[in-house]
Amino acid sequence: MKKDPNAILTLNSAFYYYGLTDTIPDHYYVATPKSNRKIEDVRVKQIYENSNAFEMGKTTIEYDGVDITIYNEERLLIELIRNKRKFSFDLYKEIISNYRKLIHKMDMTQIMEYAYELPKTNMVMETIRLEIL
């Protein structure tokens, strides 16, 4: 986060920091705008995000006394489903199972807004209906 203040923690890293998985990621997964320069660090997996959707769901949490810029849990649910094939079956099932436990605390309106703004809307909505609700 110090190397690129525009970066937002996402995917495996964010799931770990939110406690949705106990699997420590091999890399720091960060989203940046498409126009951003490449982050030259082998520990970082950079995901270039469409500039219109980049800040959608951006928030800050405190982790071990440090403020971290990260996507909220609602946005991450959409990202999990959109990127399902990038996860091992076991990791995906672990995270989905943990989402089922907290779905009643989440903002469903916000989830729907994100689903309609980001790619793969139909697949995301169908997966939420079948696997989460």
Side-chain angles (χ1 to χ4, degrees):
M1 307 310 307
K2 288 182 182 181
K3 288 183 181 221
D4 191 334
N6 291 326
I8 302 174
L9 219 57
T10 190
L11 297 176
N12 303 45
S13 298
F15 296 133
Y16 177 75
Y17 284 112
Y18 277 120
L20 294 165
T21 181
D22 57 5
T23 302
I24 300 170
D26 293 335
H27 299 89
Y28 293 100
Y29 289 79
V30 299
T32 61
K34 281 187 176 183
S35 61
N36 219 54
R37 64 174 172 68
K38 181 171 174 32
I39 298 173
E40 300 291 340
D41 188 328
V42 295
R43 299 170 297 170
V44 174
K45 290 281 186 190
Q46 185 174 5
I47 295 113
Y48 292 99
E49 184 61 65
N50 180 331
S51 59
N52 296 335
F54 175 67
E55 298 226 353
M56 192 183 314
K58 177 181 171 181
T59 191
T60 304
I61 64 169
E62 184 180 320
Y63 189 87
D64 286 343
V66 177
D67 286 337
I68 298 171
T69 305
I70 191 169
Y71 283 125
N72 62 25
E73 291 168 315
E74 289 82 1
R75 167 74 186 258
L76 288 170
L77 174 59
I78 303 302
E79 294 303 323
L80 173 67
I81 296 168
R82 284 178 57 209
N83 294 285
K84 180 178 182 174
R85 291 192 173 118
K86 294 181 181 178
F87 295 94
S88 71
F89 177 78
D90 291 338
L91 181 58
Y92 177 81
K93 284 300 183 188
E94 175 189 8
I95 297 168
I96 283 290
S97 174
N98 285 321
Y99 264 113
R100 282 188 197 116
K101 294 174 190 171
L102 59 91
I103 195 70
H104 64 281
K105 297 178 187 175
M106 296 176 71
D107 184 340
M108 289 305 293
T109 303
Q110 202 170 46
I111 291 171
M112 301 297 194
E113 287 174 14
Y114 296 158
Y116 285 107
E117 289 293 323
L118 296 164
K120 302 182 182 179
T121 300
N122 292 337
M123 186 266 293
V124 167
M125 295 305 293
E126 185 69 8
T127 302
I128 290 171
R129 188 179 69 75
L130 294 174
E131 294 188 30
I132 303 291
L133 300 177

